[in-house]
Amino acid sequence: MAGHSQFKNIMYRKGAQDAKRAKVFTKIIRELTTSARINPDMESNPRLRQAIIAARAANMPKDTMERAIKRGAGGEDNTDYVEVRYEGYGPGGVAVIVEALTDNRNRTAGEVRAAFTKFGGNLGETNSVSFMFDRIGVIRYLKDKVNYDALFETALEAGAQHIESTEQSHEVECSLEDFASVRDALMAKFGDPESAELIWKPQTMASVDEDKASSLMKLLDVLEDNDDVQSVFENADIPEEVMEKLASGK
């Protein structure tokens, strides 16, 4: 959204996602298990560490988290999950990137394609829209938990590129290559962040009117409701009053 954090759209959508806590847990458990199968040591496995941060941020019970890691580390869950990325255009020409972790590529591709088609979008080929985004790391701390100046100094020394403050949080951006080192430096000083993730940050935004925004949000909801889908990113520039109206269901 122009003049606002690129996470604003995500935050509005997150309200609906919070009501689907069980689904959120399912996605995180899948990532914990898959990451632990690679290496169950959090200190030497950045992907597992990232999954644990997500689990804590979602208030996942510790025993649930530990069971998922143990299942992956011990080979009890032998489901072969693969990472897949889908790209396309949603209503209003909005570029959309969908990241999935699936044990059945054909099923997931079919469901993602059906969602795009139903809501007036088009699924494209890999790299059809990702060139309009930058792959970066983002570590987010709540404002009432961390002092901006202290965070800025530590982040800068660790190699961060940019810090943006919203109404509720400070968001530290860094390159893909520096993500693990910046995240670990911040965690060593300030503890667990609200979130730490790799995102696709749009280079340019696509203006969307209220009619197209409604269809777009429905598409994003369906995609995020899919158990195989881990993350969804887009470059929609939607007026804040429209987002609030859509979020309230009016």
Side-chain angles (χ1 to χ4, degrees):
M1 295 173 62
H4 297 277
S5 160
Q6 70 270 21
F7 301 104
K8 204 64 172 285
N9 291 3
I10 296 172
M11 289 301 104
Y12 277 118
R13 280 152 40 203
K14 187 177 181 297
Q17 283 299 98
D18 286 344
K20 306 171 185 174
R21 197 175 181 213
K23 263 193 189 302
V24 173
F25 278 12
T26 298
K27 295 172 189 286
I28 295 174
I29 286 170
R30 184 176 295 191
E31 178 63 21
L32 285 167
T33 304
T34 303
S35 302
R37 188 180 302 141
I38 299 168
N39 179 355
D41 179 24
M42 182 180 76
E43 297 304 321
S44 58
N45 184 346
R47 180 172 172 176
L48 177 58
R49 192 165 189 182
Q50 191 175 329
I52 290 172
I53 291 170
R56 289 172 177 165
N59 295 315
M60 179 179 288
K62 188 177 180 181
D63 60 341
T64 302
M65 194 189 318
E66 290 176 347
R67 278 200 304 272
I69 294 171
K70 191 174 181 180
R71 198 160 56 242
E76 297 168 32
D77 185 343
N78 58 6
T79 308
D80 185 20
Y81 290 114
V82 294
E83 294 177 89
V84 189
R85 188 174 80 237
Y86 303 99
E87 302 178 23
Y89 288 95
V94 171
V96 180
I97 296 178
V98 181
E99 293 182 329
L101 194 56
T102 178
D103 61 346
N104 187 323
R105 285 173 178 261
N106 291 335
R107 179 194 66 225
T108 308
E111 291 173 352
V112 170
R113 186 179 301 279
F116 271 85
T117 301
K118 180 177 181 179
F119 296 103
N122 292 286
L123 189 62
E125 300 294 325
T126 302
N127 300 320
S128 61
V129 304
S130 57
F131 69 92
M132 295 186 284
F133 294 74
D134 294 318
R135 186 66 163 162
I136 66 168
V138 176
I139 303 96
R140 190 178 300 111
Y141 281 92
L142 294 179
K143 272 187 171 181
D144 59 2
K145 299 279 183 68
V146 176
N147 174 268
Y148 175 84
D149 291 334
L151 182 69
F152 180 87
E153 184 178 346
T154 303
L156 197 64
E157 288 178 358
Q161 298 174 328
H162 179 68
I163 300 178
E164 182 174 352
S165 292
T166 66
E167 292 177 7
Q168 296 183 326
S169 64
H170 300 304
E171 294 154 1
V172 178
E173 298 182 3
C174 59
S175 68
L176 176 65
E177 296 75 18
D178 292 333
F179 174 62
S181 58
V182 172
R183 179 200 61 203
D184 292 352
L186 294 177
M187 287 180 66
K189 189 170 181 66
F190 304 108
D192 281 357
E194 182 70 9
S195 64
E197 57 192 333
L198 295 173
I199 71 161
W200 291 94
K201 180 182 179 181
Q203 298 166 358
T204 57
M205 306 300 285
S207 297
V208 184
D209 61 26
E210 185 172 341
D211 179 54
K212 296 295 184 184
S214 177
S215 296
L216 176 65
M217 289 300 115
K218 289 174 183 175
L219 167 61
L220 299 177
D221 282 344
V222 168
L223 290 172
E224 290 174 338
D225 202 39
N226 188 306
D227 285 344
D228 296 334
V229 173
Q230 296 293 97
S231 305
V232 181
F233 304 94
E234 33 73 22
N235 69 339
D237 180 5
I238 305 173
E240 189 163 348
E241 61 272 17
V242 174
M243 284 302 302
E244 291 174 343
K245 185 176 180 181
L246 292 173
S248 66
K250 293 179 182 179

